[in-house]
Amino acid sequence: MTSQPGGPEDEQPGGPQDPPDTPDTRDTVAMVEQHEEEAVEGDSHVGLVGGPEHLGTPGPPLDRRAPFYLGFFGGLGALTAWWLGTTILAIGSTLLLIVVSLFLAAGLHPAVLFLERHGLRRGWAVLTVIVAALGALTLFVVAIVPVIADQVRAITDNAPGWFDQLQRNERVRALNEDYEILDRARDYVSNGDFLSGLFGGVLGFGLALLGAVFNAFIVLVLTLYFLASMETTKGALYRLAPASRRDRVSRLGDRILASVGGYVSGAFIVALVSGVSSLVFLFVIGLGEYAVALATVVALLGVIPMIGATLGAVVVTAIGFATDVHTGIACIVFYVIYQQVENYLIYPRVMSRSVDLPGAVIVIAALVGAALLGVVGALLAIPTAAGILMLLREVYVRRQDAS
């Protein structure tokens, strides 16, 4: 029986056998050959089995509810928040200087706009305001500071005599015999270094004064820079908003900036009125020897909302009582009357065009600001509250009315 060629009898046992020629095998061979051709042309895709377009089938996405996923990214977020918090606390003093500089620049910006409306170009208007501000500051330092220093020295020299007058009072004398309050205060003031003691000695006073001068210089430089680049800065910030809302954002931002500037100008006017009124009153009642120094104290403290004028009145009244009882009584009467005039006539008229806030909001804002940042916080709190209230009215309330 003859066998047919190609039959099983022709197969050599133990010899190499080729794999069956299936469609999958042919596709794999063609894929490898294509890859080898690409490798010859350029080696940028060597090692990618399947060619440059085939990088494997993507796996399923991570399960965001998995415990490891939640724990890892939750811990990472907590660490990031802690790092940001510590960083902000570390640069808190620098941020405070920046905020104060922006606040002052916003206060001077209405003067620049006023000069622009009267024909001056912006560059010249900014230069005029800067020169005027620096000139006023220089005039104050040159003309007023020596007078204030002399009057403070006179107050220091006369303080022991005031203590002697207080000691003539029977009740005060009894308290002094028990606790030696007046004796210690007299010795402390008569030594002449009580101001340095407030700052931890002569070295501490010098360092504190140097730090204050440096901070004032930084605030001055930043204020001038922010004032000169106010429009550029505003434009850059407004461009961060979507184009569809950029017009409304710019209008709201300009309104808030005008509110801050109006508040700064109004606070300066109120403080100036209180200082001039106190100066005239002190000359009338016979305290002209200390009038300039005390009126300056009243004006500076008058910038502080709510309690500034009261603190100034307490200082003046204490020196009035130390000089003469009738003078002290006159100081009480004057400042009680002036407080009513300022609270119900001067302050509302001056501030009505800048900040529109209910009285309770002003009190709460000032208290919160003072608790957070002290005097600076109290100064910044009222315009900040006005801006927040305006945003609530213009954005949230309108959205609620339309829904």
Side-chain angles (χ1 to χ4, degrees), residues 8 160 163 215 358 396:
F163 286 122
N215 289 337
Y396 181 76

Side-chain angles (χ1 to χ4, degrees), residues 2-273:
T2 60
S3 59
Q4 298 294 332
E9 292 81 357
D10 294 335
E11 296 180 359
Q12 299 178 359
Q17 298 181 4
D18 295 333
D21 192 9
T22 61
D24 294 338
T25 304
R26 290 194 299 270
D27 293 341
T28 303
V29 172
M31 182 175 61
V32 172
E33 291 177 352
Q34 180 184 0
H35 176 62
E36 291 176 349
E37 293 176 359
E38 293 173 353
V40 172
E41 295 175 359
D43 60 353
S44 58
H45 303 293
V46 174
L48 299 180
V49 178
E53 302 299 332
H54 181 72
L55 299 178
T57 303
L62 294 175
D63 186 8
R64 296 187 178 183
R65 292 175 295 180
F68 177 80
Y69 183 93
L70 294 176
F72 179 79
F73 285 99
L76 186 62
L79 289 176
T80 304
W82 176 80
W83 177 79
L84 289 176
T86 54
T87 303
I88 292 175
L89 291 177
I91 62 174
S93 58
T94 304
L95 292 178
L96 187 60
L97 294 179
I98 295 174
V99 171
V100 171
S101 302
L102 285 171
F103 189 75
L104 295 177
L108 294 175
H109 191 244
V112 176
L113 296 179
F114 175 80
L115 294 177
E116 281 188 305
R117 288 196 297 268
H118 286 75
L120 278 181
R121 297 177 59 184
R122 177 162 185 86
W124 289 105
V126 171
L127 181 62
T128 303
V129 172
I130 290 174
V131 171
L134 292 178
L137 182 61
T138 304
L139 179 64
F140 176 80
V141 172
V142 173
I144 304 299
V145 169
V147 179
I148 295 175
D150 293 338
Q151 295 188 0
V152 169
R153 189 180 302 110
I155 293 173
T156 304
D157 295 338
N158 294 329
W162 296 337
F163 286 122
D164 292 335
Q165 293 180 7
L166 289 174
Q167 199 169 9
R168 296 191 186 101
N169 187 287
E170 295 181 359
R171 181 171 300 177
V172 174
R173 188 167 55 251
L175 291 174
N176 185 51
E177 291 176 356
D178 294 335
Y179 304 103
E180 299 181 354
I181 298 176
L182 291 180
D183 293 337
R184 295 179 180 177
R186 185 193 297 109
D187 295 338
Y188 188 59
V189 174
S190 60
N191 287 335
D193 58 350
F194 66 98
L195 285 178
S196 62
L198 292 176
F199 298 92
V202 177
L203 179 60
F205 176 72
L207 293 177
L209 182 61
L210 182 62
V213 171
F214 178 75
N215 289 337
F217 177 75
I218 293 298
V219 168
L220 177 63
V221 172
L222 289 178
T223 300
L224 299 181
Y225 175 78
F226 288 142
L227 183 62
S229 60
M230 182 67 70
E231 293 299 325
T232 304
T233 304
K234 288 196 307 179
L237 292 177
Y238 294 158
R239 288 181 65 86
L240 297 178
S244 60
R245 301 184 179 183
R246 193 168 296 163
D247 179 67
R248 180 161 171 78
V249 170
S250 62
R251 292 176 184 272
L252 292 174
D254 290 341
R255 179 72 64 82
I256 293 175
L257 186 63
S259 176
V260 173
Y263 173 76
V264 174
S265 304
F268 175 77
I269 293 174
V270 172
L272 184 62
V273 170

Side-chain angles (χ1 to χ4, degrees), residues 364-379:
I364 294 173
L367 290 176
V368 173
L372 292 176
L373 297 175
V375 175
V376 177
L379 294 175

Side-chain angles (χ1 to χ4, degrees), residues 151 162 278-295 315-324 327-328 331:
Q151 295 188 0
W162 296 337
S278 299
L279 182 66
V280 174
F281 168 73
L282 292 172
F283 274 112
V284 169
I285 64 173
L287 288 178
E289 186 180 1
Y290 321 116
V292 177
L294 294 179
V315 173
V316 176
T317 304
I319 294 179
F321 271 111
T323 305
D324 183 70
T327 302
C331 291

